[in-house]
Amino acid sequence: MKEELDERLSKMNHEANVSKLARQAFDSSYAHVRNEARLKRKSRNKPMRTLLTMAATLMLIIMLSVEGTALAAFNRLFQFQDRGIEQVAMTSEENVRAASVTDQNVTVTLEQMIAGQHKLALRFAVEGKEVQLGDDTEFHLEYRIQAKDGTYIDEFISDTKPLKGEGDLIGHRFNTYIDSEEGVTIYEILAESNNRVIPSLDGANVHIETLHWTRDGRSQTVNGDWTLPLQTTLPGDIIQYEMSRSEGGIEVIRVVTDMTSTHVVLRVDGERYDENFFVDNVYLKDGNGMIYRIETGYRTEVTDGKTTLTFHLPYTITDATHEIELGIEGVGEVKLTGPMK
C-alpha cells in the first residue's frame, strides 16, 4: 500500500491547491490524533513514535478520501508532526525563492522556508557526484544563521567550533530523506524559540560550514562554504489577544498568534506543580469550540511564589476567531479578544 500511495503522491505533485474541505479534514484528523495522544500519554500504553506514525497515516487516509490535490500538498509537508508548520506547507504554493550554491563539488539548495515569530523551518537539497549515498545513510549539517546586522540568530555546530553569537534557538528537530538513485539528500530543520521572538530574517543568510554523511560505521565529511539568503515570501501577520475577563488565578502576560502557532506567557500562583500538570490541564478553546493543548513542551520560572509559564499551542492565524478562552483546569480561565481577521 505504501508504494501505491507514494506513486499517487508523485503523479499529483504538480497540483498545488487545497480546498477548504481538505483543510477541514486535516484539522479534524489532527484534533483527533492530539486527543488520542493525550489519552495515551496518561495511560503510557504506547510509545510516542507509534502515535506519530498513526497520526501521519490517519491524516493521509482522510485526505485520500477527500481529494487528490491535498495529496500534492501533503507530499511537500515538513513532516515534524507540527500542525502549524504542516498547515502552512499545505496551503502555501511557494514558501521561498529557491537559491543554490556549489562548493567542493557539492551543491546545496535552499528549497523551502517557513518563518513565524517563534518557529523557523528550512528544507535543503544536497547533491554531489563525490558523495556516496544509500538508503541507510545518516546525514546532518552544521550551520549558522546570521542577521542583516551581523548578529547570529541560530548556530548548530559541533563542540569543536567556537560560537560566534550567544548560542542557538531552544529546540531543533531534523528530518533526512535519501534518494540514492538521484544522489540527493533532503534535509529539513525545524528550530523553535520559547523565550524570545526570532529576530527579523530580512537580509539574513544561512552559512553552512560542514556536511556529514555516515553509513555502515563509516563517515564522510565535507567542509566548505555554502552561504544562502533566507528569502521568505510569506506574510508575517500576527494577532495580539487581550484579556476581556478572568476567572481564577491566571495572569496573562502575552498571547500572540501567527501562521505557525500561538505563543503564550502566563503566570499562576504557586510553585510546586507536577511535571505533567500543565501539559494535561492547559487548554485553548476557539470560537468554534475547537480545543488546543500543549504539544511541544514548556518553560517555567518561579519567582516570589508564582510560576511563569511559557509555551506554544497549535492554534494558528488560519484558525483564529475573535474570541478565545485560555484556561488551566483546576486553576481558572481567561477570556480573550483579538481583532477580526
Side-chain angles (χ1 to χ4, degrees), residues 30 53 63 65 82 124 134 137 188 244 278 286 296 319 335:
Y30 208 102
T53 301
M63 284 189 285
S65 67
D82 183 293
F124 297 98
T137 301
E188 296 179 342
S244 59
F278 294 116
D286 68 19
T296 58
D319 311 306
K335 295 187 183 300

Side-chain angles (χ1 to χ4, degrees), residues 63-238:
M63 284 189 285
L64 271 168
S65 67
V66 175
E67 60 173 25
T69 53
L71 293 174
F74 188 88
N75 194 34
R76 293 196 304 271
L77 292 181
F78 290 87
Q79 296 180 39
F80 291 103
Q81 282 72 51
D82 183 293
R83 180 177 180 272
I85 294 296
E86 293 178 359
Q87 194 178 67
V88 174
M90 285 183 68
T91 57
S92 300
E93 183 175 355
E94 295 294 340
N95 300 328
V96 68
R97 294 185 292 273
S100 298
V101 64
T102 300
D103 191 21
Q104 307 299 314
N105 296 319
V106 177
T107 299
V108 178
T109 302
L110 175 59
E111 290 191 336
Q112 288 195 22
M113 170 179 167
I114 297 172
Q117 282 206 323
H118 298 270
K119 295 186 179 185
L120 173 62
L122 302 171
R123 179 185 177 105
F124 297 98
V126 183
E127 304 174 74
K129 293 182 179 180
E130 301 301 319
V131 177
Q132 302 301 313
L133 300 174
D135 293 337
D136 56 349
T137 301
E138 296 181 3
F139 174 83
H140 72 276
L141 56 80
E142 300 180 29
Y143 69 90
R144 306 176 201 259
I145 296 177
Q146 188 175 24
K148 186 177 181 179
D149 64 4
T151 60
Y152 287 87
I153 297 171
D154 188 28
E155 295 178 85
F156 198 87
I157 57 175
S158 68
D159 294 338
T160 61
K161 296 180 180 179
L163 291 172
K164 295 185 178 181
E166 297 181 356
D168 53 27
L169 301 179
I170 297 298
H172 293 83
R173 285 179 275 170
F174 307 96
N175 287 332
T176 303
Y177 309 99
I178 302 293
D179 187 335
S180 54
E181 291 185 2
E182 296 294 329
V184 179
T185 300
I186 301 297
Y187 191 64
E188 296 179 342
I189 301 167
L190 174 56
E192 301 181 33
S193 173
N194 274 335
N195 61 342
R196 64 187 175 100
V197 173
I198 296 174
S200 172
L201 296 173
D202 182 29
N205 291 306
V206 56
H207 303 282
I208 299 172
E209 301 178 355
T210 306
L211 312 172
H212 298 277
W213 287 267
T214 304
R215 184 185 183 193
D216 298 331
R218 296 171 297 182
S219 61
Q220 182 174 0
T221 297
V222 180
N223 294 304
D225 179 11
W226 299 268
T227 297
L228 296 160
L230 299 182
Q231 302 179 92
T232 180
T233 61
L234 294 171
D237 295 337
I238 65 170

Side-chain angles (χ1 to χ4, degrees), residues 235-255:
D237 295 337
I238 65 170
I239 293 177
Q240 177 87 46
Y241 281 95
E242 303 292 342
M243 185 176 68
S244 59
R245 192 175 73 198
S246 177
E247 299 173 1
I250 299 177
E251 177 187 354
V252 172
I253 300 171
R254 184 178 194 264
V255 178

